[in-house]
């Protein structure tokens, strides 16, 4: 199954850079801006630690920026991939 999926991706996406940008937009942004503050908020709740308001706001703003960036980057990467596929046909 994985070999077939890899062959299909290689056949339809001739530029590997587009696929790398898609992976970076979705996973890179999540690892850098979404998961760290999410973990900090959830761990502090689990242990009963009350976060200060500025720290909580910083976590929420970081997650919001990360979510918007991930969605926007993923959308732009997918639109580039789709336009490249349409241009080759």
């Amino acid at each position: 199954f994985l070999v077939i999926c890899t062959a299909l991706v290689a056949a339809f996406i001739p530029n590997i850079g587009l696929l790398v940008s898609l992976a970076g937009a979705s996973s890179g942004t999540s690892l850098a801006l979404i998961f760290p503050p999410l973990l900090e908020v959830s761990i502090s709740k689990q242990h009963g630690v009350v976060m200060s308001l500025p720290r909580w706001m910083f976590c929420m703003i970081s997650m919001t920026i990360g979510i918007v960036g991930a969605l926007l980057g993923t959308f732009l990467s997918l639109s580039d991939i789709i336009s490249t596929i349409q241009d080759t046909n």
Side-chain angles (χ1 to χ4, degrees):
F1 178 74
L2 290 175
V3 172
I4 291 171
C5 289
T6 304
L8 288 174
V9 167
F12 288 113
I13 303 174
N15 186 356
I16 193 71
L18 295 174
L19 194 60
V20 170
S21 70
L22 176 63
S26 58
S27 64
T29 307
S30 298
L31 287 173
L33 293 173
I34 298 172
F35 289 133
L38 182 65
L39 288 173
E40 183 177 358
V41 170
S42 66
I43 289 172
S44 66
K45 274 188 179 183
Q46 266 185 343
H47 292 290
V49 176
V50 178
M51 294 178 72
S52 66
L53 182 63
R55 187 67 187 170
W56 184 82
M57 287 179 61
F58 176 76
C59 289
M60 293 301 125
I61 290 171
S62 294
M63 283 192 291
T64 303
I65 291 171
I67 290 169
V68 169
L71 291 175
L72 186 63
T74 301
F75 173 76
L76 292 174
S77 295
L78 284 174
S79 67
D80 285 346
I81 289 171
I82 291 169
S83 68
T84 301
I85 290 171
Q86 289 176 347
D87 289 343
T88 58
N89 293 335

